[in-house]
Amino acid sequence: MGFLNDDKKDKLNSFVKFVKKELEIEKVPTISIQANRDGLKTTAHYDYTKENKIVRVYGRNRALVDIMRSVAHELVHHKQFEEGRLDGPQPPDIGGEIEDEANAKAGQHIKMYAKIDPTIYDE
């Protein structure tokens, strides 16, 4: 994560802890902030079908708050997995209850966290 300085890494780690607590996540998956897309078709991906749960987020040339929103979105999907709501076929990646919830909660968590640390918008 050479493109993220130590301050941004600290903010991102603090944000992940905040989201973990808010969502009551049992075990946070590995989170990889990538400098390249390396197989990502969008800005982020969470594959709940694999044994090792990994959130992958493309981070180069993106504002920290945008990276945080992507991380939060994928952590909502992880919580949905922990709740057993992602059993069965892959849900649609546009619209539908699962994706709409991830989008809405990611935005909510950014706004909630910005009340704790408004510097996340300082780019």
Side-chain angles (χ1 to χ4, degrees), residues 91-96 99-100 103:
D93 63 349
I94 300 173
E99 193 65 14
D100 288 349
N103 285 326

Side-chain angles (χ1 to χ4, degrees), residues 80-96:
Q80 293 165 338
F81 169 78
E82 286 185 344
E83 294 173 338
R85 296 172 54 206
L86 295 182
D87 290 343
Q90 184 88 10
D93 63 349
I94 300 173

